[in-house]
Amino acid sequence: MKRKLIAAIGVAALSATVAACGSDGDSGGGGGGDADSITVWLMDGSAPQEWVSELNAAFEAEHGVKVNVEVQQWDGVQDRVTTALSEDGTVDVLEIGNTQTVGYANTGGLADLSELSEEPWNENMLASAEVDGTLYALPWYGANRVVIYDKSVWAEAGAEVPTTREEWIEALELIDENTEAEPIYLPGQSYYVMGGFVADEGGSFAVEDGDEWRGALNTPEAEAGMEFYAELQSFSESPTDNDEASPQQSTEVVPNQEVASWIGLGWEAAGAVAAIEEAGGEADFGYFPIPGKTAGELGHVFLGGSNLAVSERAGDKELATEWLRMATSQEWAQRYVDANNDGVVPNRTDVTAEPGAGSFAEAMVASADVGFLPPLTTGWANVETEPNPIKELMTKALNGDDYATAAEEADSEITTRINRE
């Protein structure tokens, strides 16, 4: 492959699914708790069956009530949660994405959990669970992206694992010059990856402006972040108008062409390995954190994950809070991390993750302290609705459009959407 010319600048995977302990396992709505039971909604794939079973057995033995776990699918979950939070007794405890917590809290749907605020929570995760100093959810787990690379291709090229952005580019140049592989697969619209580079520069997608928010892409920081993204993307054969899910990079791209490296989550790495092996091949991946501007700092990464909350209209808020207290305690949080083979970022500072040397988890956990979150406000969901103005800006920039003009248009749209409840 020959490198393209640069146009003007343009959950750790969890292998097991939750069992519906004490329930029929259906993903629909069900009754909330009463004097004899509580209902917990967990997302498909969020917790190993053994952990859930043992936790609920311990809780039931201590409190003499039954725990009904109902597994929810991510597709369409926001509508189901919104409906459940508006009804009495539908659900007691529920898992919600960390970027969704503020929105649900602002509707009045989540109970105040400030009595649990003194626990040693991971500060980066805690930010997504608080609104105006009030705790409305508890951090559960985090996950972030790392660079996944083909060891054999890198060895053929004589490329070494980088510790800085400059070394990263040098490695891609070696791969481009000495192999037939695509140095990096990077879609034009992987906006959370780009957001990390913006955060490296001290910028953000949007900033608070008095009582409102305004887009912040037409800034030197965002432009610098986009410039580095464009430099990386120039080594990719991907179009500039698609994201990592269209096509799915882990199962539709990487297994079907020679890709030297890509940026992904744990479940994507596992999916790529499975797809390659299913096709009769053998995956030989290595992993490293996204490098920072200097050897002494790693690049910022979007810290995704989930929180656990109690419905304000729960059938039994007291019991629901006690289940939440147990599930996120040091003992059960440590068990959760261990059960996931250290494939998640711990929710507490007194929980340790000791991933194996050279594993995805090792690279992921290394970046946890430099995780960033998008603007924590109800209106952020409006920004991410298609057509996403950040994605549109990225494509324009990569195609050589004037950055300032494109960014000004994106900021105007972001400002309108983010301030709309």
Side-chain angles (χ1 to χ4, degrees):
M1 167 195 167
K2 297 300 179 185
R3 181 185 177 194
K4 303 189 302 195
L5 292 176
I6 301 179
I9 79 144
V11 152
L14 308 180
S15 58
T17 345
V18 181
C21 308
S23 77
D24 61 6
D26 202 354
S27 62
D34 52 34
D36 301 314
S37 69
I38 62 170
T39 295
V40 177
W41 281 11
L42 297 179
M43 302 308 302
D44 184 22
S46 286
Q49 177 177 342
E50 183 178 5
W51 182 86
V52 175
S53 300
E54 292 178 354
L55 169 67
N56 288 339
F59 185 83
E60 290 169 356
E62 181 174 337
H63 295 278
V65 297
K66 189 175 184 179
V67 181
N68 298 314
V69 174
E70 297 179 357
V71 180
Q72 304 293 318
Q73 303 299 318
W74 283 108
D75 186 29
V77 73
Q78 292 198 48
D79 289 340
R80 293 196 298 277
V81 170
T82 299
T83 299
L85 293 179
S86 69
E87 299 171 342
D88 290 332
T90 298
V91 61
D92 297 287
V93 179
L94 65 161
E95 175 188 350
I96 47 182
N98 60 351
T99 63
Q100 302 168 347
T101 303
V102 172
Y104 294 133
N106 283 339
T107 67
L110 304 182
D112 184 342
L113 298 174
S114 296
E115 64 182 89
L116 300 175
S117 62
E118 297 305 314
E119 294 294 308
W121 305 117
N122 178 310
E123 287 295 326
N124 281 347
M125 296 184 193
L126 186 63
S128 71
E130 293 181 314
V131 179
D132 297 330
T134 299
L135 189 64
Y136 286 103
L138 301 184
W140 190 21
Y141 69 85
N144 52 260
R145 293 168 175 80
V146 307
V147 182
I148 304 162
Y149 71 99
D150 187 313
K151 292 181 181 179
S152 62
V153 174
W154 280 55
E156 177 187 351
E160 297 182 355
V161 171
T163 61
T164 65
R165 283 186 181 181
E166 183 178 4
E167 291 177 358
W168 194 4
I169 297 298
E170 290 172 354
L172 297 179
E173 289 174 340
L174 284 173
I175 294 165
D176 189 44
E177 294 167 0
N178 298 316
T179 77
E180 294 300 314
E182 183 175 2
I184 185 170
Y185 177 78
L186 183 63
Q189 296 183 343
S190 291
Y191 67 105
Y192 274 136
V193 173
M194 189 271 282
F197 302 145
V198 173
D200 287 346
E201 305 293 338
S204 181
F205 291 137
V207 295
E208 290 186 85
D209 186 10
D211 293 333
E212 296 192 328
W213 291 75
R214 59 177 172 80
L217 293 174
N218 191 17
T219 61
E221 294 82 7
E223 184 171 7
M226 186 65 220
E227 283 179 342
F228 183 66
Y229 188 95
E231 187 172 11
L232 283 179
Q233 213 275 334
S234 71
F235 289 95
S236 178
E237 296 175 355
S238 171
T240 61
D241 61 352
N242 69 309
D243 60 24
E244 65 274 16
S246 305
Q248 173 49 244
Q249 60 181 7
S250 61
T251 55
E252 298 180 73
V253 177
V254 173
N256 296 313
Q257 60 197 61
E258 193 171 16
V259 173
S261 62
W262 47 295
I263 300 171
L265 293 160
W267 67 265
E268 292 181 297
V273 170
I276 291 169
E277 292 179 347
E278 184 177 350
E282 183 177 348
D284 186 23
F285 289 152
Y287 312 95
F288 60 85
I290 291 178
K293 300 175 72 172
T294 68
E297 59 183 359
L298 294 175
H300 283 74
V301 289
F302 169 62
L303 186 59
S306 284
N307 297 326
L308 292 170
V310 171
S311 170
E312 176 63 25
R313 303 176 76 168
D316 193 322
K317 282 201 288 186
E318 184 177 349
L319 274 176
T321 302
E322 287 306 308
W323 187 93
L324 201 59
R325 188 194 303 272
M326 178 180 283
T328 59
S329 66
Q330 194 279 334
E331 176 188 354
W332 287 96
Q334 184 66 65
R335 289 193 187 192
Y336 180 77
V337 169
D338 294 343
N340 284 300
N341 299 313
D342 303 307
V344 294
V345 178
N347 62 338
R348 302 169 58 106
T349 59
D350 54 2
V351 169
T352 59
E354 298 178 354
S359 66
F360 182 98
E362 181 183 51
M364 181 187 69
V365 171
S367 297
D369 289 340
V370 284
F372 81 94
L373 291 166
L376 296 174
T377 179
T378 305
W380 180 249
N382 301 325
V383 177
E384 295 190 307
T385 300
E386 299 292 346
N388 183 321
I390 304 172
K391 289 183 176 182
E392 293 187 330
L393 163 68
M394 294 175 69
T395 295
K396 290 177 182 178
L398 291 172
N399 288 344
D401 290 10
D402 178 68
Y403 180 84
T405 300
E408 184 176 359
E409 293 174 357
D411 280 346
S412 177
E413 184 67 17
I414 290 171
T415 300
T416 297
R417 293 191 190 188
I418 201 171
N419 292 306
R420 186 173 67 235
E421 296 296 330

